[in-house]
Amino acid sequence: AAAMSAKFVRRKHLEEQLHVVPERLEDNQTVARVVKLHGSNIVEVETPKREASAASGANDDDDDGLESCLCLLPAKFSKRFWIKRGNFVVIEFTVGED
């Protein structure tokens, strides 16, 4: 019974996190639009170009000001929340450790 209540508490806190709208995004966070789902936990999104990558793009006529990237949905959210194409999500850029 203790395991069931711990699972319920964990799920409750995840659902609370889903509905919290941050007042301000951190420097490594941005809002992105879901373009395509690749499996159960990999999501392709479009984000506004960041300053560093926008500067390197010079004057490209086909440039719409967006860049695509793949995001990994943490396992704790898998099968708990449904993401569809066109939804907006907050993503966090991280640097992978070698």
Side-chain angles (χ1 to χ4, degrees), residues 3 6-7 12-13 21 30 34 38-39 50 52 69 72 81 86 88-89:
K7 184 176 181 181
K12 178 182 169 187
H13 289 296
V21 177
T30 189
V34 176
H38 296 273
R50 297 167 77 189
C69 65
L72 181 64
F81 306 110
F88 287 90
V89 293

Side-chain angles (χ1 to χ4, degrees), residues 30-33 45-49 65-69 91 93:
T30 189
V31 175
R33 185 173 60 89
V45 298
E46 284 183 339
T47 63
K49 284 201 174 178
L66 298 174
E67 63 184 352
S68 293
C69 65
I91 63 170
F93 294 100

Side-chain angles (χ1 to χ4, degrees), residues 21-34:
V21 177
E23 291 183 23
R24 183 180 159 304
L25 296 177
E26 301 294 326
D27 290 339
N28 64 336
Q29 295 178 332
T30 189
V31 175
R33 185 173 60 89
V34 176

Side-chain angles (χ1 to χ4, degrees), residues 8 11 16-18 21 32 45 48 52-53 58 60 69:
F8 174 75
R11 185 176 298 153
E16 288 173 358
Q17 288 178 1
L18 175 70
V21 177
V45 298
S53 60
D60 187 1
C69 65

